[in-house]
Every structure is written in structure tokens, then in C-alpha cells.
Amino acid sequence: MSDPSNRDAWWDLRRLRYFAVLAEELHFTRAAARLRIAQPALSQQIRALERQLGVPLVHRTSRGCTLTEVGARVADEAARLLAEVDAGTARIRDLVRGRGGRLRLAYTRSARGGRVDALVAGFRAAHPDVEVVSETAWTAPNVAGLLAGRLDAAFVRPPVDEPALVCRTVDTEELLLALPAGHPLASGRRRISRAEVVDLPAVMWPRENGPGMFDRTIAQVWPGGGFRLVRQEPDDEQLLRAVAGGDVVAAVPAGRARALRVPGVRLRRFTAPTPTVDVGLAWPRDSTNPALRGLLALLEWDRTTGSTA
């Protein structure tokens, strides 16, 4: 059951607003006109406020009114209180409309730039009042953060097999073969066939970092088997440095490989069909965060128009 005093507080707030306007105008008729209420109704509300407070707030005269000593102090407090209420109301309205609040967002280590950065930049521009708290991790930790409620959205490498999450593709990029500069396949070749990489010693990051992307990479580059993993490295930069050492090859996303530009590494495309990996945006299916809705609206617009946000 609701507390009647709470209902009275709302009435007091309205009466305080009436009194604040009257304190500015010092004239019941002008104040009533500003408030768009009848003058007798305003007078009635001011008397009710005086009864509630137990003190007179105004001296009524034939030409208008003046404030009592207590009335002047109440007017100052009312102005400050109403300013805070109006500011809070605006913040709440912005939150509901996705113009305020906070978005906890995680990037995936293997995908930056392109549509990913463009989507986030577009969101920041459209929602400058939203605090974007970002971090970077592999897909698996990002998924765990979403499931634990620690993140509102995360960029991941699909597929993501979690019923509690929704995942939409943001971008698709080609997989390239990274070769040591002195490797026979690196000289005079533009495209490499799958048969040529069978049983070549390969380096990869740990599967637990992103099981879906790991399995999809192997299935496309080594579809008939022959994937010979001889080394693991924690991230793409270390993976490419291992390739530069001259002992191993690797299948890497084009964007990340070209951005890192590790000396001693040659990048080659595969023959058709072109192997690809996606980067997706994942979020909790039951999320009610208005800021997230703003990000998803931009993502949907991007998918519909084909724009880079």
C-alpha cells in the first residue's frame, strides 16, 4: 500500500512551483497567467501551501503582494529545489530516449577499424551524453562479460552459441595466409591453394579465446584436414612475429594483419572460394538499456543502407 505522505509530496512540489512563480511576479493575476491557471485557483493553492507549512508566505495588498521574511527564504529554497527537479527530469527523459546513461562496451582483440570503429564513432556522435566505458578482450571473455551482466554489448567473432545473447554481423573480412618473407610460397605468388598449405607447420592463438572463429578458420583453410598446429601465441601481433621468424604460417584476418604490418611477413590471398570471418555485435537478449537501443538502431540502419555508419 502506498504512503499517503508520498502523494502529499507531489502536491507540495506543484504548490512550490506555483509559489516560485508568484515570488517572481509578486502579482497573483500575472503569476496565474504565466501558470495558465485561474487566479482564484492560484490563490487557493498558495493558501493551502501556507497551511501546510504553518506560516504566512505573502502579504496580500490591493496592488499585488509582497513576501514575508519566511516567504523570501522559502522562495529561494523552492527555486533551487525546482531547478534540481527539472534537471533530474531532463536526465531521466534523456535516459529513456537513449541520450544519456552509460554503455559498457567491449571490443574483440582481432577486429578494430572499418565498420567496427565507424559504428562506435557514429554512436558517440549521435549520443554525446552517453558515457561509453570500453575495454578489449577476446571473444570468449567478452561473451562471459555479457552473460554475467558486466557488459551491455561486445564485439565478438561469430558464431556465438548462447541462447541468452543476440548476435548481429557488423562486418566480414577475408582471411589471408601469412608467410615468412623467405618462404617458397611467398615469392611470385598472388594466390595460394588449400592443397599447398596442407601439413605446413602453423601457428594459431588458443582455441578457448574464440572457439567459433578458430573452428571456422580451420574448416575453410584446411577443409580436408592437414592442419598441423605446432605453436600457439596469445594475440595476433605475437602470431605474426612468430611467422616472421621463418618457421610457421598462419591464417589471419586481413584487417588486423595489414594494420600490424609486421616486418618479415608476406600476406597472400587464397584461391576461390575466399575464406572469410565475421565480426559481430552481441548483447543480452533481455537488455533494457536505452543506450544500447541507440547503438542497435545505428547498427540496423547500417545493415539496411550498407553504409559504414
Side-chain angles (χ1 to χ4, degrees):
M1 184 173 179
S2 62
D3 184 351
S5 65
N6 290 337
R7 291 195 298 269
D8 290 343
W10 285 103
W11 282 100
D12 289 349
L13 189 62
R14 186 184 69 171
R15 287 170 181 162
L16 280 177
R17 194 175 296 278
Y18 288 170
F19 176 65
V21 173
L22 178 63
E24 291 178 4
E25 295 291 343
L26 295 177
H27 195 283
F28 276 90
T29 301
R30 290 197 299 269
R34 272 183 59 183
L35 292 165
R36 297 184 179 181
I37 62 173
Q39 187 274 330
L42 173 61
S43 181
Q44 182 181 20
Q45 291 298 322
I46 298 303
R47 290 187 184 281
L49 179 61
E50 291 176 319
R51 287 194 299 271
Q52 274 188 319
L53 297 177
V55 292
L57 299 175
V58 296
H59 296 299
R60 293 162 177 80
T61 68
S62 58
R63 294 186 176 184
C65 65
T66 59
L67 299 179
T68 66
E69 182 178 349
V70 172
R73 294 170 62 184
V74 170
D76 289 340
E77 291 297 331
R80 282 192 287 269
L81 175 61
L82 292 170
E84 292 177 5
V85 169
D86 291 344
T89 300
R91 288 193 296 269
I92 292 172
R93 186 179 298 113
D94 285 344
L95 280 170
V96 172
R97 295 176 180 175
R99 290 206 299 256
R102 183 173 63 166
L103 182 71
R104 300 166 299 172
L105 176 70
Y107 294 95
T108 179
R109 291 190 182 279
S110 64
R112 289 298 300 268
R115 289 179 181 268
V116 169
D117 285 358
L119 177 63
V120 177
F123 175 79
R124 289 181 183 274
H127 304 275
D129 294 332
V130 174
E131 178 189 9
V132 179
V133 181
S134 62
E135 60 184 71
T136 302
W138 291 99
T139 289
N142 285 352
V143 168
L146 291 170
L147 294 175
R150 190 175 58 79
L151 295 171
D152 298 306
F155 292 103
V156 297
R157 287 293 192 177
V160 174
D161 186 19
E162 289 291 348
L165 303 180
V166 181
C167 185
R168 294 285 183 271
T169 299
V170 176
D171 204 358
T172 299
E173 59 182 322
E174 186 176 353
L175 279 172
L176 302 178
L177 183 67
L179 297 155
H183 197 281
L185 294 179
S187 60
R189 304 289 300 277
R190 291 191 175 183
R191 293 197 179 250
I192 307 297
S193 70
R194 271 51 164 197
E196 291 175 293
V197 299
V198 170
D199 291 330
L200 289 180
V203 58
M204 195 74 165
W205 36 263
R207 183 179 182 276
E208 57 265 27
N209 289 354
M213 180 182 177
F214 188 101
D215 293 344
R216 179 172 174 175
T217 298
I218 305 308
Q220 293 182 92
V221 178
W222 290 272
F227 173 58
R228 185 157 70 95
L229 181 65
V230 299
R231 183 171 173 177
Q232 289 187 327
E233 293 292 343
D235 55 42
D236 293 320
E237 183 172 4
Q238 294 304 315
L239 182 149
L240 290 171
R241 291 192 183 281
V243 172
D247 299 321
V248 290
V249 301
V252 291
R256 187 68 172 154
R258 288 170 175 156
L260 289 171
R261 296 179 178 273
V262 175
V265 174
R266 298 293 181 266
L267 302 174
R268 294 293 180 265
R269 302 179 69 187
F270 287 97
T271 55
T274 301
T276 61
V277 288
D278 297 331
V279 57
L281 181 70
W283 65 91
R285 189 177 297 275
D286 60 356
S287 174
T288 58
N289 185 344
L292 174 62
R293 289 202 298 269
L295 179 64
L296 299 182
L298 281 177
L299 175 61
E300 187 58 32
W301 178 83
D302 180 40
R303 283 157 52 86
T304 301
T305 63
S307 167
T308 57

